[in-house]
Structures are given as structure tokens and as C-alpha cells.
Amino acid sequence: VGPSSIAALDQITRMRQRLAHRGPDDSGTWQNHFGESSVALGHTRLSILDLSELGHQPMVSQSGDVVIAYNGEVYNHRELRRELEREGCRFRSDCDTEVVLEAYRVWGDDAFARLNGMFAIAIWDGRRERLVLARDRLGIKPLYYGRVGESWLFASELKALLEYPGFSAEIDPNAAALFLRHGYVPGPFSIYRNVF
């Protein structure tokens, strides 16, 4: 999320291409402008639950005002789907991505407590003009975030962030010390300064 720019889709595409090994089955980008700013989401997909093109991401809600880029698996998605159908939701696909999208659209932030699984999620809520990032409680799926100038960046791997113009891959000496002490960099830190 950052200042409006025609180059945003090109930047997101380059970042997404660095993650192609994680999702070789499909990829996509989405962008929207709001006020003086814009938001862009990119996704690479490994098809598991719904192998059709209906699982393409970033996925836009049927109402058109909520968009998701999601990595992971929600094990209780069938139960949540039935509950959402009772509340009037209609689904186009069989994938858990659409269930998570509609769960957020209906229940808001409370939806995340209902998810049983491993996931990293980015949701653009156009109704409120806000970006929501969520991760499973154990942190099984990686999610890195940071700021470059006026832009907020996030990705499932640090190497995607390296593609963003102006990103400084400056090693955080405190994180390096933590790595030497523990054999890993504990959250919320990453090896790069100002990336968490």
C-alpha cells in the first residue's frame, strides 16, 4: 500500500515472480486506487483444493469490495461454508480461499478466530479502505512486512521484498545476534532492519 503509481503493478509482478517456485500453477495481480494512494496485491498459486480457474487469486468478493491473497489451508472450511450459506452467502468455487474471503466479509476481524488451519492472509477491505494481514496462531505460514518510504510491503518470503525499488537489505545487528544465540531469528524480527 503506498502512493499511487502506474509502476505499482510492474513492481508487484517482479516481487511475485521471485515467489514463482511457491505457486507454479497460477499467478495474478490486482490493483486499486483510493484517494492519493493505491493498493496492489500479487499472488502465486499452488492448486490443492480447487484445481479450476475459479480459485484464481487475488480473489475479489462477489460484492466487489473485498479482495484476498491467501496462502495456506483452512481445515474447517466446509463447516464455515455451510454456516455462511445459512447466512445467505453463495459460492462460485470449491476452494477454501473463497470461504475465508466471505467469512471476513460477513464476520470482519472475528472471522480469523474461527479459522482452523495454517495460513497467511492479506485482505484489502475497500469498504473501510484498509489492509488486513493475518497469520495462523502458530505462525506456520510465513508473513514478512515492513515499510519503504511511504509504502507498506509484505510477502511470504524476504526475497520478494528485495525486488521493491528502494528496499534496503540492511542486516539488523540485533537480529544477527539473536540468530547467533538461538540458531534462528525469533519474531517479530527478521534478519533485515525494519522488516518484521
Side-chain angles (χ1 to χ4, degrees):
V1 179
S4 181
S5 169
I6 300 260
L9 278 179
D10 289 337
Q11 294 164 355
I12 293 299
T13 299
R14 282 194 307 277
M15 293 171 71
R16 187 194 72 215
Q17 287 170 342
R18 287 296 298 266
L19 304 178
H21 64 281
R22 294 187 68 134
D25 297 331
D26 189 21
S27 63
T29 55
W30 174 89
Q31 182 181 32
N32 193 19
H33 300 281
F34 61 102
E36 297 294 317
S37 298
S38 69
V39 61
L41 300 176
H43 189 269
T44 60
R45 179 177 180 218
L46 177 63
S47 301
I48 296 175
L49 293 179
D50 184 341
L51 306 181
S52 76
E53 63 185 38
L54 295 174
H56 178 77
Q57 293 187 52
M59 182 181 285
V60 181
S61 67
Q62 291 185 46
S63 59
D65 54 6
V66 180
V67 183
I68 188 172
Y70 158 75
N71 176 33
E73 185 175 354
V74 171
Y75 308 127
N76 63 333
H77 70 96
R78 293 193 198 294
E79 294 85 6
L80 294 173
R81 180 185 179 119
R82 285 192 292 272
E83 189 174 344
L84 288 163
E85 286 173 335
R86 285 191 299 270
E87 294 199 29
C89 292
R90 299 291 171 251
F91 293 88
R92 300 170 285 197
S93 73
D94 290 323
C95 65
D96 58 346
T97 304
E98 189 175 16
V99 172
V100 173
L101 177 62
E102 290 301 313
Y104 173 81
R105 196 183 61 71
V106 171
W107 298 319
D109 293 344
D110 293 338
F112 303 117
R114 296 174 177 240
L115 304 180
N116 176 10
M118 55 180 183
F119 53 84
I121 301 170
I123 293 178
W124 172 250
D125 186 340
R127 303 168 299 185
R128 297 182 190 130
E129 293 189 350
R130 75 175 188 149
L131 177 70
V132 177
L133 300 177
R135 194 171 74 161
D136 62 83
R137 291 173 274 299
L138 294 178
I140 296 169
K141 291 295 182 182
L143 179 61
Y144 296 94
Y145 64 93
R147 191 171 180 133
V148 174
E150 295 181 36
S151 297
W152 283 98
L153 306 176
F154 59 91
S156 58
E157 289 187 24
L158 288 169
K159 64 181 166 182
L161 301 180
L162 295 171
E163 290 297 320
Y164 193 83
F167 179 80
S168 172
E170 182 181 349
I171 301 295
D172 181 339
N174 294 324
L178 288 167
F179 177 78
L180 293 173
R181 177 180 297 150
H182 302 293
Y184 64 95
V185 178
F189 306 102
S190 80
I191 198 65
Y192 295 135
R193 187 186 298 274
N194 298 321
V195 176
F196 305 95

